[in-house]
Amino acid sequence: MTTDVPSELAREPLTDSPWPLTSARDDAGRLRIGGVDVADLAASHGTPLWVVDEEDLRTRCRAYVDAFPDVWVAYASKAWCAVGILQIVAEEGLWVDVVSGGELHTAKVAGVPMDRVVFHGSNKSLAELRMAAQLGVGRVVADSFEELERLENVGDELDHTFATWLRITPGIDAHTHEYTRTGHDDSKFGFTLSLGLADTAMRRTAELRHVDVVGIHAHIGSQIFGTDPFVANAEVLIALLARWRDELGVTLAECNLGGGMGVRYTSADDPVPIGRYGEAVLAAVDRACEEHGYPRPQLAVEPGRAIIAPAVVTLYEIGTVKRLEGMTTYVSVDGGMSDNIRPALYQAEHDVALVNRSVAGELEVCTVVGKHCESGDLVRDRVPLPADLAPGDLLAVAATGAYTASMASNYNRLPRPAAVLVRAGEVRTLQRRETYEDVVARDAIL
Ligand SMILES: Cc1ncc(COP(=O)(O)O)c(C=O)c1O
């Protein structure tokens, strides 16, 4: 079942619909976002096009800050790292989590205060760590023994001390897609608690001069529903801090609980409202602190998907409609896996809607596909859409703000799409469309 663009505001506007907050159909059935007609956007900016509802994005940032009072909320920029997006989240008071030199450079260009940047990553190079030291990044998350030594060497070389969080693998299975679960014991990320590796790492840092461990971090996975896994994560981390106080005489003052909150892509998804999520996690921290007699640490959380995914739709133009009697109706659009790899990579489903005219009359089960030469290039399988779809019609795919543009490619040498911000009838360019010149720019002509 697909959820059509809502006509009136839902009970929980931020989680009850996969469509952006300010999206609505006008009397002619055309979709408007931020007071802008998306068919006009397609005409002026072309398709495929990422359309970002700026009001929605800012509202989600504020909702997170409200749900986590006195907590450092860091936008996990891996969800979508673009200069304009980082400018907006920083304006809304968020920190920024980066995982590479490229994301760090983007944060610098966006003017994000470097002391509000968290540098993650499971294999940060010497060059990236030098960059972090030279830019004065706020926190670095150490993910392995090699990284502890690299931090020490770079710190020695540049006479810099890294305020560091140790990434803990808490042994929590988050019950999400295999490719996005990260907190279970057999994970590539972090120091595995159950194998004693976290203790070994903590003891090793006592011998290091340039690695100042100020706290711990754990991220258990992504697109997680319910609050239980997050509560369990908080309990494990506070218990660890208390045990290290008792056993090692170290009272760490910071604890980063990671990201991972699920969002609604279709009516089948049932995300927890941000407020309830915040309440549950903070209550778990307070309960555990009381149980262990541990002073409440400065907390941090790192939402990515929950901040940006629902604020964005992708606009496509239909190129062909292929009706195979008794089999499938293929509706092919002018983008696909090079701008949204999630269906192919995670078997993910996003809601789809016809948006350049009203949805009237009969529906037909269609399979929306991309234009790449790949049968796996799926946009959405078996979805009811108007039976009179035709080339030139516009489809919008909901909740495409996270892990789409950031994972986009030039497969089949498709230029990457443009992205625009819409708000109060205004349109601003976030990313220009790539040209064919851009696509060949790195190629040497032999
Ligand atoms: C360390 C870390 N923090 C935060 C996030 C953000 O997760 P999400 O986008 O699910 O909130 C990720 C995502 O993979 C991550 O690896």
Side-chain angles (χ1 to χ4, degrees):
M1 182 54 204
T2 184
T3 317
D4 193 33
V5 179
S7 48
E8 85 286 340
L9 217 50
R11 185 173 46 80
E12 283 281 352
L14 292 181
T15 47
D16 266 11
S17 168
W19 297 93
L21 266 186
T22 69
S23 54
R25 288 186 185 271
D26 66 15
D27 298 345
R30 293 157 66 107
L31 173 65
R32 303 176 73 81
I33 301 177
V36 179
D37 182 325
V38 298
D40 293 344
L41 278 177
S44 56
H45 290 76
T47 55
L49 184 70
W50 285 296
V51 180
V52 182
D53 179 344
E54 184 174 346
E55 199 52 45
D56 183 304
L57 173 57
R58 289 181 183 276
T59 304
R60 272 166 221 284
C61 291
R62 293 171 199 157
Y64 245 92
V65 170
D66 294 347
F68 286 94
D70 308 320
V71 173
W72 297 336
V73 178
Y75 168 63
S77 67
K78 61 183 69 66
W80 190 356
C81 192
V83 171
I85 290 176
L86 299 192
Q87 287 176 285
I88 290 172
V89 299
E91 277 168 22
E92 294 296 335
L94 274 62
W95 287 47
V96 170
D97 146 6
V98 300
V99 301
S100 70
E103 290 184 357
L104 180 53
H105 183 69
T106 308
K108 180 178 152 227
V109 173
V112 176
M114 281 294 128
D115 61 358
R116 294 167 68 85
V117 170
V118 181
F119 196 3
H120 272 286
S122 58
N123 180 8
K124 296 182 273 303
S125 68
L126 283 171
E128 287 171 321
L129 294 175
R130 286 192 190 100
M131 209 176 153
Q134 282 149 353
L135 290 172
V137 158
R139 297 289 180 278
V140 168
V141 183
D143 191 277
S144 66
F145 292 103
E146 288 87 348
E147 273 192 8
L148 290 177
E149 305 314 317
R150 269 180 220 153
L151 285 165
E152 181 68 4
N153 296 339
V154 170
D156 198 35
E157 180 191 319
L158 300 175
D159 190 24
H160 178 83
T161 296
F162 291 95
T164 303
W165 289 330
L166 288 185
R167 180 162 182 169
I168 308 299
T169 320
I172 292 167
D173 190 334
H175 301 298
T176 182
H177 191 282
E178 187 198 342
Y179 295 169
T180 61
R181 48 197 282 270
T182 57
H184 54 299
D185 281 342
D186 186 3
S187 165
K188 80 169 194 180
F189 297 100
F191 296 102
T192 311
L193 196 53
S194 64
L195 296 177
L197 299 181
D199 295 3
T200 310
M202 191 59 210
R203 287 200 179 88
R204 172 63 185 138
T205 60
E207 300 155 354
L208 301 177
R209 290 179 309 116
H210 298 284
V211 178
D212 175 19
V213 176
V214 293
I216 57 175
H217 163 268
H219 172 73
I220 58 175
S222 199
Q223 190 60 353
I224 300 168
F225 294 103
T227 55
D228 292 354
F230 300 108
V231 165
N233 185 40
E235 290 167 351
V236 167
L237 293 182
I238 300 296
L240 175 61
L241 291 174
R243 181 166 67 75
W244 281 352
R245 173 202 55 199
D246 302 341
E247 292 177 5
L248 306 178
V250 180
T251 302
L252 298 178
E254 297 174 8
C255 184
N256 177 332
L257 300 159
M261 193 187 147
V263 304
R264 186 182 294 276
Y265 285 110
T266 72
S267 53
D269 298 319
D270 187 23
V272 177
I274 297 174
R276 190 138 46 86
Y277 165 64
E279 274 163 29
V281 170
L282 297 179
V285 168
D286 290 338
R287 258 195 327 272
C289 284
E290 190 169 338
E291 184 192 335
H292 298 285
Y294 197 86
R296 193 205 229 210
Q298 169 62 55
L299 299 173
V301 289
E302 304 170 317
R305 190 188 308 272
I307 294 284
I308 187 85
V312 182
V313 306
T314 306
L315 211 50
Y316 296 110
E317 183 176 324
I318 294 176
T320 67
V321 179
K322 182 176 180 180
R323 289 191 171 80
L324 302 177
E325 272 330 303
M327 293 188 263
T328 303
T329 294
Y330 290 103
V331 175
S332 181
V333 297
D334 56 354
M337 65 193 298
S338 64
D339 60 70
N340 185 0
I341 192 69
R342 301 192 65 250
L345 183 60
Y346 308 115
Q347 301 74 50
E349 293 196 333
H350 293 248
D351 268 354
V352 182
L354 172 68
V355 290
N356 56 307
R357 57 188 170 87
S358 64
V359 179
E362 220 187 307
L363 296 181
E364 173 187 21
V365 174
C366 303
T367 291
V368 183
V369 294
K371 67 173 289 171
H372 302 80
C373 291
E374 187 106 8
S375 294
D377 182 16
L378 209 54
V379 173
R380 177 72 192 267
D381 196 17
R382 309 202 61 73
V383 62
L385 287 167
D388 61 353
L389 282 184
D393 273 330
L394 298 175
L395 291 182
V397 173
T400 55
Y403 309 110
T404 58
S406 62
M407 298 173 88
S409 72
N410 293 124
Y411 186 37
N412 290 160
R413 299 230 113 175
L414 265 67
R416 283 175 289 186
V420 294
L421 279 166
V422 291
R423 191 187 195 189
E426 297 293 315
V427 182
R428 294 193 288 172
T429 296
L430 194 61
Q431 290 177 322
R432 70 165 173 78
R433 185 173 303 285
E434 274 185 337
T435 62
Y436 290 144
E437 278 317 308
D438 291 329
V439 170
V440 299
R442 294 177 309 117
D443 295 3
I445 301 174
L446 303 180

